[in-house]
């Protein structure tokens, strides 16, 4: 009984902590990605990138009378109003350095003492603290199970309303052909997650104070049942973790009942309106 409890605790800890956790350095890129990254940028006769030059000279898109400008944030103004001492470009570099260091594990000095890690399920309202995060992530080697794991971090940008925060997206993929996932035999199956929203927030000293991951942006994409983080790969290879949070979304009976009432009320209203128009 005691060994079973220890195994369950280990599985839960791994599941809730190791969402998207794998070093960015050393990932094998999909076909074409590494070649594209290595290809030199073409220059024209005067040494200027013609693509960048065309972008700079392109005329601004004309505004449409059908667009209500009042509902859109003036991003440049909002970012300037935050008056954060570190620029967006510098913060993006810091975020990429953190991710490249195995999510900060290989360079603990990047994490502030107040650092917390948080996902859709992880850590409650306060998230996991610095020491718990470093211990959990450092002991979980997801690339042992998925040697070709690629998180595909992209679309880095500064939060225009929260100073010091960088948002980015992950669409992870991998093949279960390594040492086996959580003690299971390799299945040879591949996974691809939906797009997931992630963020890193830094203080004015440049230390990471919060890391958030695994928030699915479009659950109909990928083959993980709409699940992100480590829950998604587990489901995709046929080894879902044994608790509701690690299963694809399923409406509760109470929600289904409310929907039935709403549909019935809608039909009754249409009938009443039809009778009035007769």
């Amino acid at each position: 009984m005691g060994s079973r409890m220890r195994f369950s605790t280990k599985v839960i800890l791994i599941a809730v902590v190791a969402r998207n956790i794998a070093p960015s350095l050393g990932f094998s890129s999909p076909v074409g990605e590494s070649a594209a990254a290595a290809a030199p940028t073409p220059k024209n006769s005067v040494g200027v990138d013609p693509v960048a030059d065309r972008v700079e000279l392109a005329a601004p898109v004309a505004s449409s009378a059908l667009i209500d400008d009042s509902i859109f944030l003036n991003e440049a103004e909002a970012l300037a109003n935050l008056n954060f001492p570190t620029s967006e470009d510098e913060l993006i570099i810091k975020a990429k350095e953190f991710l490249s260091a195995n999510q900060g594990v290989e360079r603990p000095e990047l994490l502030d003492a107040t650092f917390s890690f948080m996902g859709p399920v992880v850590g409650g309202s306060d998230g996991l603290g610095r020491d718990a995060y470093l211990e959990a992530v450092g002991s979980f080697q997801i690339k042992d199970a998925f040697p070709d794991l690629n998180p595909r971090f992209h679309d880095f940008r500064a939060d225009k309303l929260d100073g010091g925060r960088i948002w980015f997206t992950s669409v992870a993929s991998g093949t279960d052909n390594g040492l086996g996932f959580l003690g299971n035999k390799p299945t040879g199956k591949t996974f691809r997650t939906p797009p997931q929203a992630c963020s890193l927030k830094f203080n004015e000293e440049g230390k990471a104070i919060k890391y958030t991951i695994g928030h699915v942006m479009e659950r109909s994409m990928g083959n993980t049942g709409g699940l992100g983080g480590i829950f998604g790969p587990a489901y995709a290879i046929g080894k879902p973790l044994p608790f509701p949070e690690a299963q694809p979304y399923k409406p509760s009976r109470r929600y289904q009942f409310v929907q039935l009432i709403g549909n019935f009320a809608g039909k009754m209203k249409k009938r009443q309106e039809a009778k009035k128009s007769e």
Side-chain angles (χ1 to χ4, degrees):
M1 180 68 177
S3 62
R4 207 176 314 171
M5 286 293 292
R6 286 194 296 272
F7 175 76
S8 299
T9 302
K10 181 179 179 181
V11 169
I12 292 172
L13 177 61
I14 289 173
V16 299
V17 173
R19 303 168 64 86
N20 277 3
I21 291 175
S24 297
L25 290 179
F27 284 151
S28 57
S29 300
V31 176
E33 288 186 6
S34 58
T41 303
K43 305 287 185 179
N44 61 19
S45 59
V46 292
V48 177
D49 178 0
V51 176
D53 196 39
R54 287 198 298 272
V55 172
E56 292 175 1
L57 298 177
V61 178
S63 61
S64 167
L66 300 178
I67 294 177
D68 179 4
D69 290 330
S70 68
I71 67 173
F72 299 101
L73 179 69
N74 184 325
E75 297 185 17
E77 180 180 287
L79 190 60
N81 288 341
L82 290 175
N83 200 29
F84 196 77
T86 310
S87 71
E88 179 176 16
D89 289 343
E90 291 173 313
L91 287 172
I92 289 174
I93 290 174
K94 289 183 178 296
K96 290 183 176 180
E97 289 176 343
F98 177 97
L99 297 171
S100 297
N102 190 11
Q103 327 292 295
V105 173
E106 296 171 4
R107 295 181 60 193
E109 69 275 10
L110 298 177
L111 284 64
D112 189 73
T114 63
F115 174 89
S116 65
F117 171 77
M118 188 178 294
V121 177
V122 175
S125 59
D126 297 325
L128 284 178
R130 181 182 187 275
D131 293 341
Y133 168 79
L134 290 172
E135 180 181 357
V137 178
S139 63
F140 186 69
Q141 301 298 325
I142 192 171
K143 282 200 73 178
D144 288 348
F146 304 97
D148 62 345
L149 182 68
N150 189 338
R152 289 188 183 81
F153 295 130
H154 62 282
D155 195 19
F156 288 76
R157 69 275 185 197
D159 191 316
K160 309 307 186 291
L161 299 173
D162 187 12
R165 188 186 295 272
I166 293 295
W167 287 99
F168 54 99
T169 305
S170 171
V171 178
S173 67
T175 307
D176 181 27
N177 59 2
L179 300 180
F181 180 68
L182 293 180
N184 296 296
K185 292 182 179 180
T187 64
K189 296 180 179 179
T190 62
F191 75 87
R192 186 182 180 97
T193 68
Q196 301 170 83
C198 313
S199 77
L200 273 161
K201 184 174 173 65
F202 299 90
N203 59 21
E204 294 189 358
E205 288 70 42
K207 300 281 189 178
I209 58 175
K210 180 169 279 191
Y211 181 27
T212 69
I213 62 174
H215 296 271
V216 170
M217 302 165 72
E218 221 300 26
R219 58 187 170 89
S220 70
M221 298 177 69
N223 67 342
T224 64
L227 297 167
I230 203 63
F231 299 162
Y235 177 81
I237 66 172
K239 306 293 181 182
L241 297 173
F243 40 87
E245 292 83 356
Q247 308 296 322
Y249 168 73
K250 182 180 180 181
S252 66
R253 291 183 178 180
R254 184 176 298 180
Y255 180 67
Q256 291 175 341
F257 178 69
V258 171
Q259 283 187 312
L260 286 174
I261 294 177
N263 291 337
F264 178 76
K267 291 179 180 178
M268 293 298 296
K269 183 178 180 180
K270 287 181 179 179
R271 288 181 182 179
Q272 292 174 354
E273 292 174 349
K275 287 182 179 181
K276 289 180 181 180
S277 62
E278 290 178 355

